[in-house]
Amino acid sequence: MSVNLLEVKNMTMQFGGLKAVDSLSFSIPQGQLSGLIGPNGAGKTTVFNMLTGVYRPTQGEILLSGKNIVGMKPYEINHLGMARTFQNIRLFKNLSVLQNVLIATHQHISYGLFDTVFLSKKFQNQETEMHAKALSLLKIFHLENKAHEKASSLPYGEQRKLEIVRAMATDPILILLDEPAAGMNHAETHELMKTIARIRHDFNLSILLIEHDMKLVMGICENITVIDHGVKIDEGTPQKIQTSEKVIQAYLGVEA
Amino acid sequence: MHKSVKTPLIAFAALLLFGGLLNFGVNAYIQLIVLFVIINSILAMSLNLVNGYTGQFSLGHAGFMAIGAYTSAYASTQFSFFSESFGFIGIFVTTITGGLLASAAGFLVGLPSLRLKGDYLAIVTLGFGEIIRVTLLNMEAVGGPRGISGIPSFPNFFFSFSYSCFWALICFFFIWRLIRSSHGRGFLSVREDEIAAEAMGINTTKTKVQAFVLSSFFAGVAGALFAHVTNFISPSSFTFLMSVNAVIMVVLGGMGSLSGSIAAAFFITLMPEALRSLQEITGVDLRMVIYSLLLILIMILRPQGLFGDKELPDIWRKYVRKSA
Ligand SMILES: Nc1ncnc2c1ncn2[C@@H]1O[C@H](COP(=O)(O)OP(=O)(O)OP(=O)(O)O)[C@@H](O)[C@H]1O
Ligand SMILES: [Mg+2]
């Protein structure tokens, strides 16, 4: 029997009178590319914020590799292997593209202040290693030539890619992507999805993807969870979701 | 020689040469001002670590400086062996002790107040600075309102100058290298976006406390130097205005620029003195008016500060490339 990488049980988030997420349960097996979809304001981003420790769920349990992470700080959860991107892009704007990625590798260094001040061998070796790693990750998204540009100077689409690179630099086992293709055109989106599918294999990642574009999720996800008004209305393979009465009513009905 | 000490030593040698010239070339008044420039540079650079690089608005720097000044002055006056028989080592030990006690205070302030952000943090640190001052005012052991007088001087001007430069260089190179390391990039990430920093595995609380501890150490050292240069300190040496002055230096020089902090320390220290001669001509004391107007003018023309977040070499390179 294989233990699920992520197991969410009855997770609830109450904002005053509003139940943004209501007793939601789902799980992600190791290695799966899952989708989380739902109309505007369904509570998708709130789910991410609870999983990553930004919000503490009002109720429920979140098990990452069997360990309950509710109440842990976001950086602790990240150290356990969960990384994310942000829907409303949160790069370190005034820092260089390279610095953005290097910061995410900080947890892997072991040199101290003393090594820093005296430029010790340990400091130099680890810095060289970090830089090489950061550049090789940037290369995957064709950003290596912009390593020394300010993050805020990148076009929108590349900022989204940089968010993914930065999340990957933390060496995650599970990566949460919040609308990574938002604002991209058709060709860019297509390319991005191919890249996401590729890194998942190359880095042995499990992925949870929020996406607005239904067709897109259908294309690459193996399993999809649909929520509306914070409640799970269906889940299953893309084929099943596509034909689900409830989903068509709640989700597609809104769009039509 | 290991390259980590080469540049600092070259810089130190150059400064010593300059100090030698000052030793014979100028009068005691100018010598004193030069020392204040160095002490203010340390103060500004150390505050830049918190305000500029880590993005935490602290308004209590005078408090940390006071702790350093009082600790070292108390040691020098109470245990006379410190400054006499022990000579340089005694001076060094008192300075370090001042710095360490200040950073202990930085730790204590850091822990509770770092849950706060922006204006709230500014108010709490301001309150902390005042608590230190009022506590000193009521501590008879350190002279209460009379303060501590008769603090032994450094042997001579050249010593004062070299010793202050020694600490300024340590402060400069420490922060310079820190910011170019993974630890320093953690500081920058906290300034840029705390939520994103946490999500990328940065322990932001620890980072902020570290920034406060390191910064207040150097503020304490600046205080220790100040005490032994002026030979007299009292609670009124470390008022709220001094904290404000430190913030002005950081903002004027540029948040996140060490060269900027040093340039601003020159400006802020020299300006009132330079205007003093003007006052002799006009007969009215317009110093504060002109000083304030100049500050306003600079901040309108360069809201990002004199140097922005650039360092002297960056600006030099840009200038050379343009003119070439
Ligand atoms: N911090 C908060 N305080 C109060 N209400 C919130 C908060 N965050 C989210 N909400 C509310 O919770 C609901 C779900 O929001 P959420 O951002 O999770 O939706 P979403 O599914 O990500 O939507 P979108 O597709 O627009 O990104 C919305 O009604 C939103 O207004
Ligand atoms: Mg959202």
Side-chain angles (χ1 to χ4, degrees):
Chain A
M1 191 195 86
S2 71
V3 176
N4 282 323
L5 179 63
L6 183 76
E7 186 106 34
V8 176
K9 294 179 189 161
N10 301 319
M11 186 169 74
T12 299
M13 186 76 228
Q14 184 115 26
F15 292 121
L18 173 80
K19 260 193 183 154
V21 174
D22 191 356
S23 202
L24 180 70
S25 302
F26 66 94
S27 56
I28 301 178
Q30 166 69 40
Q32 194 173 67
L33 206 170
S34 322
L36 178 64
I37 65 173
N40 264 318
K44 306 179 294 291
T45 299
T46 306
V47 168
F48 272 24
N49 282 336
M50 283 188 284
L51 295 181
T52 54
V54 177
Y55 298 153
R56 194 197 167 106
T58 324
Q59 260 172 45
E61 263 180 47
I62 305 168
L63 305 175
L64 181 65
S65 310
K67 185 176 174 155
N68 192 357
I69 57 169
V70 170
M72 289 174 104
K73 296 238 178 83
Y75 81 89
E76 294 170 323
I77 294 174
N78 177 262
H79 290 189
L80 288 177
M82 179 145 50
R84 71 175 290 183
T85 65
F86 294 91
Q87 180 177 5
N88 51 343
I89 304 184
R90 279 179 170 273
L91 289 171
F92 307 122
K93 290 194 189 70
N94 296 305
L95 305 183
S96 75
V97 168
L98 183 63
Q99 278 176 314
N100 267 271
V101 185
L102 288 174
I103 285 164
T105 65
H106 178 62
Q107 59 192 279
H108 307 303
I109 64 128
S110 62
Y111 68 75
L113 283 182
F114 189 84
D115 296 296
T116 301
V117 172
F118 291 101
L119 311 173
S120 76
K121 268 261 141 42
K122 193 173 176 186
F123 166 83
Q124 290 177 28
N125 290 343
Q126 293 191 4
E127 278 291 308
T128 315
E129 230 170 83
M130 286 167 94
H131 276 72
K133 178 178 170 182
L135 282 172
S136 77
L137 288 174
L138 283 169
K139 222 171 225 161
I140 299 175
F141 289 87
H142 309 297
L143 288 170
E144 76 275 18
N145 293 327
K146 303 208 168 174
H148 297 286
E149 282 176 33
K150 231 184 188 186
S152 59
S153 74
L154 296 182
Y156 195 71
E158 288 186 341
Q159 293 197 15
R160 288 216 174 276
K161 290 181 188 169
L162 179 55
E163 278 240 347
I164 302 179
V165 174
R166 188 178 65 170
M168 284 178 58
T170 65
D171 280 351
I173 44 177
L174 172 64
I175 191 162
L176 313 181
L177 305 174
D178 199 342
E179 304 206 16
M184 292 187 185
N185 66 31
H186 199 77
E188 283 174 327
T189 306
H190 187 70
E191 196 212 310
L192 179 72
M193 289 304 151
K194 274 204 332 218
T195 316
I196 289 176
R198 204 181 85 216
I199 57 169
R200 170 203 172 197
H201 279 292
D202 295 353
F203 292 85
N204 202 11
L205 287 172
S206 308
I207 298 179
L208 178 60
L209 179 79
I210 292 181
E211 195 39 78
H212 233 88
D213 187 341
M214 274 276 269
K215 275 185 238 115
L216 205 148
V217 199
M218 299 294 171
I220 73 168
C221 292
E222 283 129 24
N223 189 65
I224 295 172
T225 304
V226 191
I227 61 173
D228 188 20
H229 299 294
V231 182
K232 178 160 88 179
I233 55 173
D234 209 345
E235 110 183 277
T237 60
Q239 292 75 16
K240 180 183 167 211
I241 297 300
Q242 240 158 352
T243 52
S244 156
E245 262 322 296
K246 280 180 276 181
V247 176
I248 292 167
Q249 260 175 23
Y251 193 93
L252 300 179
V254 175
E255 302 242 300
Chain B
M1 196 190 327
H2 195 259
K3 69 173 174 191
S4 67
V5 287
K6 200 168 157 192
T7 331
L9 277 183
I10 292 172
F12 193 45
L15 283 169
L16 287 188
L17 213 66
F18 180 64
L21 292 177
L22 284 179
N23 201 14
F24 301 109
V26 299
N27 63 32
Y29 164 68
I30 299 207
Q31 289 180 340
L32 189 64
I33 293 173
V34 169
L35 294 179
F36 282 148
V37 168
I38 304 170
I39 293 170
N40 275 336
S41 298
I42 299 178
L43 198 64
M45 287 190 284
S46 66
L47 184 63
N48 212 335
L49 189 57
V50 169
N51 283 30
Y53 291 110
T54 318
Q56 307 300 307
F57 194 176
S58 164
L59 250 181
H61 226 46
F64 300 119
M65 190 174 177
I67 291 175
Y70 266 84
T71 308
S72 68
Y74 188 78
S76 299
T77 49
Q78 296 298 309
F79 315 107
S80 55
F81 63 89
F82 259 115
S83 50
E84 281 155 26
S85 347
F86 276 70
F88 178 71
I89 294 183
I91 291 171
F92 194 68
V93 169
T94 52
T95 312
I96 296 252
T97 315
L100 288 178
L101 235 71
S103 59
F107 181 74
L108 289 180
V109 185
L111 278 186
S113 60
L114 291 179
R115 293 168 184 278
L116 305 168
K117 290 186 172 73
D119 308 347
Y120 300 100
L121 178 61
I123 291 167
V124 168
T125 50
L126 187 161
F128 158 78
E130 283 302 286
I131 289 171
I132 296 288
R133 196 178 59 81
V134 172
T135 308
L136 292 171
L137 202 59
N138 290 289
M139 261 172 80
E140 266 312 311
V142 292
R146 283 167 288 113
I148 303 179
S149 50
I151 304 167
S153 294
F154 294 130
N156 53 47
F157 168 74
F158 186 69
F159 183 93
S160 310
F161 179 85
S162 321
Y163 190 57
S164 307
C165 283
F166 167 76
W167 278 108
L169 283 173
I170 289 189
C171 180
F172 177 87
F173 280 99
F174 180 83
I175 299 177
W176 180 276
R177 286 180 185 163
L178 177 69
I179 292 311
R180 283 153 188 80
S181 78
S182 194
H183 298 286
R185 288 189 290 266
F187 288 37
L188 298 175
S189 74
V190 170
R191 174 190 74 193
E192 291 293 312
D193 191 323
E194 262 186 61
I195 291 181
E198 278 268 333
M200 296 308 131
I202 304 289
N203 182 345
T204 57
T205 313
K206 186 176 145 200
T207 305
K208 286 188 272 184
V209 174
Q210 270 179 349
F212 258 83
V213 167
L214 295 172
S215 162
S216 37
F217 174 81
F218 286 111
V221 166
L225 296 174
F226 177 82
H228 290 82
V229 163
T230 55
N231 313 121
F232 165 71
I233 52 170
S234 76
S236 56
S237 321
F238 306 100
T239 58
F240 166 61
L241 268 178
M242 182 176 243
S243 296
V244 172
N245 229 22
V247 172
I248 290 178
M249 285 191 280
V250 171
V251 175
L252 180 71
M255 308 272 264
S257 167
L258 291 178
S259 350
S261 289
I262 296 172
F266 266 92
F267 182 84
I268 295 288
T269 317
L270 296 183
M271 191 46 64
E273 304 302 329
L275 290 175
R276 208 187 286 277
S277 44
L278 186 78
Q279 179 200 352
E280 277 155 22
I281 303 167
T282 56
V284 225
D285 191 359
L286 290 174
R287 276 188 306 153
M288 273 309 157
V289 179
I290 299 174
Y291 173 75
S292 316
L293 282 177
L294 269 174
L295 275 183
I296 294 172
L297 201 67
I298 294 175
M299 290 326 289
I300 289 175
L301 294 176
R302 277 196 74 79
Q304 72 276 47
L306 293 171
F307 284 57
D309 61 355
K310 302 280 184 295
E311 296 292 353
L312 203 54
D314 306 326
I315 293 166
W316 177 258
R317 234 172 283 138
K318 200 172 150 194
Y319 174 77
V320 169
R321 208 178 291 153
K322 256 188 198 153
S323 59

